Amino acid sequence: MSPLQRRSALAGLAFLPLAAQAQDFPDRPLRFVVGFPPGGPNDLLTRLIAPGIGERLGRNVVVENRAGANGEIAAASVAKAPTDGSVFMLASNGSTTIAAALNKSLAYDVRTDFAAVAPVGINPMLLVVRPDLAARNVAELLALAHDKPGKLNGASAGAGGATHLALELFKSLGKADIVHVPYKGGGPAMADLMASMVDIYFGGLSTALPHVRSGKLRALGQTGEKRSAAAPDIPTIAESGLPGYEAAISYGVFLPAGAPQALVDKLHDAVDATVRSPEVAKKFTDLGADPQFGTPKEFAAYVADDMTKWSRVAKDAGLKVD
């Protein structure tokens, strides 16, 4: 090999790693942003999968809590973050598609400011009723609501949140006149339900299920598309009398829009492999969440469909956030 050929070959070898590095994650700690304080479901899921993602990417992944405004502060910060893969987030549909359905003045556009990477999990809610209510299933509850329009009331953990929209979707599909009673959090709503101060509530599966098992509440159905592994004995609302009903809190990982597709794919593979690991899947179930899987394209389609659904529900119910 001539000196010129040798230099050309060495130059080619030197070029290949640089090209690869241009499509790799920065060689420094990566920020995994979550929009809620430590201890809640968003934070727990983020911390559960962060080590596996870091191991598979060969990077240190640091969880960063940027709490406030139902996750919207964190989402706004990630929307403006560098597109080099140094920042990504775990977000629920509460701060993405539901927020967009209710608030036309968000500081970010869910459709254009994020790259959908991977679904992570879905947390169905339970439709629970006070123990003395004369309804043993969804069909009987709808019949009761039709017989006494405006007499039943449904609690929520707050106006515009997931528990409220689950109620509004139920009212819309079931053509039921049920009065919405917003509370400042799920705890007070659940307490008043057990005290028979309100009639129904859509509570998080992990928090409502213990009260159902103890007999303090009655579960009529779970809100997911299929039965959760955490409560396989409780039918879905669609099975129990309201076909087509589905309302769950979904979680997924997002990069800022503009991130190279190679980074989207690498992060997706790391998230997907982590969630599929038996140890992590078991912990998901313990938290009342079912692991979810899909390609970036499939997850983006899910996000678009979810936004369409909740926008329709918000419009029909006249809901908005000023």
Side-chain angles (χ1 to χ4, degrees):
M1 181 181 292
S2 69
L4 181 59
Q5 290 174 321
R6 188 178 296 111
R7 285 197 299 271
S8 298
L10 290 174
L13 289 173
F15 174 76
L16 288 175
L18 291 175
Q21 289 172 10
Q23 296 298 307
D24 206 348
F25 289 85
D27 189 14
R28 62 178 185 273
L30 309 179
R31 294 163 49 208
F32 195 5
V33 178
V34 58
F36 292 86
N42 290 264
D43 175 74
L44 291 174
L45 290 177
T46 303
R47 294 181 185 277
L48 181 56
I49 65 174
I53 294 172
E55 179 181 345
R56 289 170 173 84
L57 293 179
R59 299 289 189 274
N60 184 23
V61 173
V62 179
V63 174
E64 179 179 313
N65 296 89
R66 292 180 64 89
N70 195 35
E72 293 174 18
I73 291 175
S77 73
V78 173
K80 299 177 176 62
T83 60
D84 60 357
S86 60
V87 180
F88 46 91
M89 73 174 178
L90 183 140
S92 73
N93 55 353
S95 55
T96 53
T97 57
I98 290 176
L102 294 173
N103 186 355
K104 305 306 180 185
S105 301
L106 281 178
Y108 51 91
D109 189 325
V110 175
R111 296 164 297 183
T112 59
D113 286 343
F114 304 108
V117 175
V120 169
I122 197 160
N123 193 346
M125 291 171 273
L126 280 184
L127 168 53
V128 285
V129 301
R130 55 184 172 87
D132 55 337
L133 189 69
R136 296 283 172 177
N137 53 51
V138 169
E140 290 182 2
L141 177 62
L142 288 173
L144 188 62
H146 295 156
D147 288 343
K148 300 179 178 180
K151 297 299 182 181
L152 292 179
N153 50 58
S156 81
T163 59
H164 180 197
L165 289 181
L167 171 64
E168 295 297 341
L169 180 61
F170 185 84
K171 291 164 56 177
S172 176
L173 292 180
K175 296 179 173 54
D177 183 1
I178 299 172
V179 178
H180 171 227
V181 182
Y183 283 78
K184 293 182 178 180
M190 196 84 74
D192 271 10
L193 183 66
M194 288 188 284
S196 295
M197 300 294 290
V198 289
D199 300 309
I200 72 174
Y201 177 60
F202 289 83
L205 190 148
S206 59
T207 55
L209 191 58
H211 299 305
V212 172
R213 300 298 191 215
S214 69
K216 294 179 181 178
L217 295 174
R218 183 185 306 134
L220 303 190
Q222 49 184 298
T223 65
E225 184 179 12
K226 59 182 181 180
R227 299 187 188 195
S228 170
D233 56 319
I234 300 176
T236 66
I237 290 175
E239 288 180 88
S240 187
L242 192 56
Y245 185 93
E246 190 273 330
I249 303 171
S250 60
Y251 304 90
V253 173
F254 298 83
L255 277 162
Q261 188 62 43
L263 295 187
V264 173
D265 293 339
K266 286 182 180 181
L267 183 56
H268 166 270
D269 292 348
V271 172
D272 189 84
T274 299
V275 176
R276 288 183 188 276
S277 65
E279 181 182 359
V280 170
K282 170 64 167 58
K283 291 179 179 178
F284 265 53
T285 301
D286 293 342
L287 291 172
D290 292 321
Q292 297 292 296
F293 312 102
T295 65
K297 184 176 181 180
E298 290 168 341
F299 183 42
Y302 171 83
V303 170
D305 289 345
D306 203 52
M307 184 182 298
T308 298
K309 176 172 74 175
W310 293 122
S311 295
R312 183 174 62 250
V313 171
K315 180 180 180 180
D316 290 347
L319 305 177
K320 65 178 181 178
V321 175
D322 295 324

